[in-house]
Amino acid sequence: MAKEDLTANKNADALMLACARIKHKLDVIVQGGGKKKLDKHRAKGKMTARERIDYLRDEGSNWVEIGAFAGYEMYKEHGGCPAGGVVVGIGYVKGRQCVIVANDATVKAGAWFPITGKKNLRAQEIAMENRLPIIYLVDSAGVYLPMQDEIFPDKEHFGRIFRNNARMSSMGITQISAIMGSCVAGGAYLPIMSDEALIVDKTGSIFLAGPYLVKAAIGEDTDKETLGGAVTQCEISGVTDYKMPDDKTCLDTIRDLMDKLGSTQDAGFSRIEPKKPKLDPQDIFGIFPELRTKPYDMRELIKRFVDDSEITEYKAGYGQTIVCAYARIDGWAVGIVANNREVVKSAKGEMQFGGVIYSDSADKATRFIMNCNQKKIPLVFMHDVTGFMVGTRSEHGGIIKDGAKMVNAVSNSTVPKFTVIVGNSYGAGNYAMCGKAYDPRLIVAWPTANVAVMGGSQAAKVLMQINTASMKAKGEEISAEKEKEMFDKIKQRYDEQTTPEYAAARLWVDAIIEPLDTRKVISMGIEAANQSPVEPFNPGVIQT
């Protein structure tokens, strides 16, 4: 076997193993509160959150789940919060792309943890940015009281949900809510601030205060049905609009309502008849290196998911540690900004490290981003970046100025941006390449992604130098064995914080995807973005 074939096989084995690791964890996450709670939920005549979504969506249609790893390995002292206790995604109902949000009542009765609030706000943000209809399938006990101080009062907490309900209404974004279980306290405002509200008889209930609180507050004895059941809220108060006999009828009615929506003005992004990649997408597994220190040509990955495997590269011989190229993905025109991991030689004869942003590559990327905004072409950022180049040569060359230009262009870009983290995403490289802080419409990670200020080894070395200097200043001696023990401990902790699971748990990325799903995710994202007009581009002051 040739050396190239052996390397490709090792690369493929490593990437497939990483994908299998993520899939195994997802298989556990989708069980929500576990089999017993799922069975108990169904025994009430209710469908589970994921069953409701599967029934509601068009059969066989694409689905991109957002935040499946939200809350992963967080809140252990509270019993955990799989998927943040809510299922969110972008899908199709009666051929119409929309955002779907479904509380998972098998996880702490659907109560809201801090990450639940963050995930719900992300769902609303996606709907607002892309002017997508949003459907809420409500089944929640409200705020998780033991953590109320971390979810209740702040700008990015629970109350922001209802502010967004009002803002979306003013923007003309359709909101449909189905009360399919509990809907209590402040949470009751969400469905009633939607355009239309459905409620399932006998299982759905909505009120500002439940029977126990009513008893405590005013001494009145009542029950859930009398207080806020379907008959009360549909036939007496008129708070809800449709009384439904069961979950399936409720979901069928939502499909009927979605079927009647009018069309919206699109942004006018270029799309032609899609073509599959000419090169085999499966090759990605052999191209992406097992060892993160190994170089590779990012163009070869890109050609495996763009139409006809064709790219038109911008300034190909200049600033070679960033690849800028025009292409089409599933028919959609895109501008791709990608970190190149090859070791290259600049026009001045200097060797440049792959995955590092130099002044010339930042300058090229800035101009390309501005061109895409001028021509109304969506941007796709592919991360495998260790940061900007450091040292006296770079500082004398104005690396801060050139990096600032790129950050400015990314920040003020008005065409939709999509980010895929395939490898490293470190430090200011994360910012310049449109990390989460720079409002990508969607940001996803491959199972090989690492997100941090810097790599584990580098961070451990820096922290070790600080710790060692501090100990020596106090007159303490440190042996080589002790130094290695400290280094390994720091590196292990830091490495755990750079994994894609860690990032996804905190919603720094929307999803961890298999590499072969990259094309689908970007295409669905642009389709969503095409429903919202693009604002004029104004980059402000850029230093030259």
Side-chain angles (χ1 to χ4, degrees):
M1 180 180 290
K3 183 178 179 182
E4 291 79 7
D5 292 338
L6 183 61
T7 300
N9 287 342
K10 286 183 176 180
N11 290 345
D13 288 344
L15 185 47
M16 288 178 181
L17 187 62
C19 290
R21 182 192 79 235
I22 295 299
K23 185 179 184 304
H24 174 72
K25 291 177 179 179
L26 276 173
D27 288 343
V28 176
I29 289 170
V30 299
Q31 295 302 310
K35 187 177 184 304
K36 286 185 177 179
K37 289 187 178 179
L38 288 169
D39 290 343
K40 185 178 179 182
H41 185 86
R42 293 187 183 106
K44 298 175 183 177
K46 299 164 70 174
M47 302 165 76
T48 67
R50 292 180 184 278
E51 288 168 349
R52 288 166 175 166
I53 290 175
D54 288 344
Y55 186 88
L56 178 65
R57 292 193 301 115
D58 295 346
E59 187 175 355
S61 62
N62 283 332
W63 166 252
V64 174
E65 184 166 350
I66 304 297
F69 271 90
Y72 179 72
E73 293 194 336
M74 296 168 65
Y75 314 119
K76 291 180 180 179
E77 67 276 23
H78 297 279
C81 187
V86 61
V87 185
V88 171
I90 303 172
Y92 299 84
V93 177
K94 283 291 183 175
R96 188 67 173 262
Q97 198 178 44
C98 58
V99 176
I100 305 174
V101 181
N103 300 116
D104 186 350
T106 71
V107 178
K108 291 289 191 295
W112 288 50
F113 283 69
I115 196 66
T116 316
K118 188 173 184 179
K119 186 170 175 178
N120 274 271
L121 288 169
R122 178 61 179 145
Q124 291 184 320
E125 180 181 43
I126 291 170
M128 293 168 78
E129 284 183 329
N130 301 293
R131 296 182 180 268
L132 290 179
I134 185 167
I135 299 169
Y136 307 98
L137 306 180
V138 183
D139 195 344
S140 172
V143 166
Y144 183 62
L145 291 177
M147 301 186 74
Q148 64 85 26
D149 61 321
E150 297 182 48
I151 180 61
F152 169 64
D154 212 339
K155 182 177 179 179
E156 302 304 326
H157 286 178
F158 189 71
R160 188 77 170 185
I161 302 293
F162 318 125
R163 176 266 187 192
N164 286 349
N165 286 141
R167 293 290 302 128
M168 281 191 279
S169 182
S170 73
M171 294 168 69
I173 297 171
T174 297
Q175 301 176 81
I176 299 173
S177 289
I179 302 158
M180 309 182 81
S182 295
C183 184
V184 63
Y189 289 108
L190 184 147
I192 308 311
M193 293 185 75
S194 299
D195 301 336
E196 295 181 278
L198 305 84
I199 185 169
V200 179
D201 196 19
K202 301 297 187 292
T203 55
S205 59
I206 177 169
F207 32 64
L208 291 181
Y212 293 125
L213 184 53
V214 168
K215 175 68 173 176
I218 63 174
E220 180 184 359
D221 288 310
T222 186
D223 59 75
K224 287 175 66 173
E225 281 299 308
T226 304
L227 188 62
V231 172
T232 294
Q233 301 294 22
C234 280
E235 300 175 11
I236 299 175
S237 70
V239 164
T240 51
D241 306 310
Y242 305 89
K243 185 176 76 170
M244 299 284 103
D246 52 45
D247 279 10
K248 288 188 176 182
T249 306
C250 181
L251 298 169
D252 286 336
T253 304
I254 292 174
R255 289 180 56 80
D256 288 341
L257 295 172
M258 288 292 293
D259 189 44
K260 310 302 186 296
L261 292 186
S263 61
T264 57
Q265 179 185 356
D266 65 39
F269 300 131
S270 171
R271 191 181 197 188
I272 62 174
E273 187 68 27
K275 294 181 181 178
K276 291 184 178 180
K278 189 178 294 181
L279 299 175
D280 188 355
Q282 289 286 344
D283 293 345
I284 289 173
F285 290 92
I287 295 168
F288 193 83
E290 174 190 11
L291 299 176
R292 300 317 327 283
T293 54
K294 294 287 185 182
Y296 66 93
D297 187 350
M298 179 65 87
R299 299 173 189 83
E300 295 305 315
L301 290 184
I302 294 170
K303 289 177 181 178
R304 266 69 183 181
F305 64 81
V306 300
D307 288 16
D308 216 26
S309 298
E310 287 186 351
I311 63 172
T312 302
E313 191 168 351
Y314 175 78
K315 290 184 182 288
Y318 179 73
Q320 296 179 66
T321 64
I322 285 184
V323 173
C324 296
Y326 298 107
R328 288 190 182 273
I329 295 177
D330 199 30
W332 295 105
V334 296
I336 299 172
V337 181
N339 304 114
N340 187 20
R341 285 301 303 265
E342 287 186 303
V343 177
V344 298
K345 184 180 287 187
S346 73
K348 297 178 181 178
E350 301 165 349
M351 297 307 296
Q352 294 186 340
F353 300 104
V356 179
I357 303 176
Y358 290 79
S359 283
D360 55 358
S361 48
D363 179 67
K364 176 174 79 172
T366 300
R367 179 65 179 269
F368 183 74
I369 291 165
M370 295 172 73
N371 281 348
C372 287
N373 275 273
Q374 182 81 354
K375 294 185 281 189
K376 208 156 69 171
I377 300 173
L379 285 159
V380 176
F381 293 83
M382 304 286 295
H383 287 220
D384 198 344
V385 58
T386 53
F388 284 85
M389 191 59 191
V390 297
T392 54
R393 183 188 295 271
S394 292
E395 295 295 352
H396 293 174
I399 187 66
I400 296 175
K401 177 180 66 177
D402 292 316
K405 287 193 295 187
M406 186 174 174
V407 169
N408 185 309
V410 171
S411 301
N412 287 304
S413 180
T414 55
V415 294
K417 300 167 290 191
F418 302 90
T419 299
V420 183
I421 304 174
V422 305
N424 299 326
S425 185
Y426 292 156
N430 172 277
Y431 302 157
M433 290 293 293
C434 195
K436 183 64 183 290
Y438 291 80
D439 299 321
R441 296 294 178 96
L442 289 175
I443 176 169
V444 296
W446 287 7
T448 45
N450 292 299
V451 183
V453 172
M454 62 183 75
S457 294
Q458 297 94 318
K461 287 175 184 176
V462 171
L463 292 171
M464 270 299 301
Q465 291 176 30
I466 296 171
N467 290 350
T468 302
S470 176
M471 292 172 70
K472 287 181 179 178
K474 296 175 183 176
E476 300 177 29
E477 293 294 326
I478 178 169
S479 65
E481 293 79 9
K482 179 66 175 176
E483 189 170 332
K484 183 179 184 306
E485 180 185 338
M486 288 172 60
F487 176 86
D488 290 343
K489 187 175 181 180
I490 293 170
K491 184 177 182 301
Q492 180 183 357
R493 185 180 75 246
Y494 201 90
D495 284 343
E496 288 172 355
Q497 296 176 357
T498 67
T499 65
E501 295 97 317
Y502 192 92
R506 289 152 183 81
L507 289 174
W508 301 344
V509 297
D510 291 318
I512 304 173
I513 66 168
E514 293 205 7
L516 298 184
D517 285 337
T518 302
R519 180 178 165 90
K520 179 190 80 171
V521 170
I522 293 173
S523 176
M524 285 185 66
I526 299 175
E527 181 185 349
N530 196 43
Q531 299 181 55
S532 179
V534 175
E535 299 294 324
F537 175 62
N538 179 4
V541 177
I542 292 184
Q543 289 193 30
T544 57

